[in-house]
Amino acid sequence: MVDAALCTDKRVASCDDRVRASLKTCLHLHPPVGDIAWVNPKFAAETPLAWLRQGAPCEDCRLLKHYAPSPPKTTP
């Protein structure tokens, strides 16, 4: 999936947040991966449909190099 994104339009729509978080930690090994725009279609807050309707623009907030995973939930 990542290779395909790098060879095409650098866009990914995937529900696999484990891979997205893992890629974030490996950017120093292959910096071009950071230029991939990634959206998780199951999260309404990421506005996947609006993003697609707009032509999937390469917005900074969607790039892996700017992706910040949610902090882990703490249990009381």
Side-chain angles (χ1 to χ4, degrees):
M1 177 171 48
V2 172
D3 285 337
L6 289 172
C7 291
T8 58
D9 62 359
K10 294 187 174 125
R11 308 295 192 277
V12 170
S14 172
C15 296
D16 196 337
D17 279 336
R18 279 208 250 173
V19 169
R20 179 163 60 170
S22 294
L23 290 171
K24 171 72 175 169
T25 65
C26 300
L27 292 178
H28 64 284
L29 298 173
H30 194 62
V33 170
D35 294 326
I36 294 174
W38 188 297
V39 66
N40 185 329
K42 72 179 179 181
F43 295 130
E46 292 190 22
T47 60
L49 292 177
W51 181 65
L52 290 171
R53 286 184 187 120
Q54 295 168 1
C58 196
E59 302 162 314
D60 279 349
C61 64
R62 298 188 191 278
L63 299 181
L64 288 177
K65 64 185 169 188
H66 297 296
Y67 168 71
S70 301
K73 293 181 181 179
T74 57
T75 54

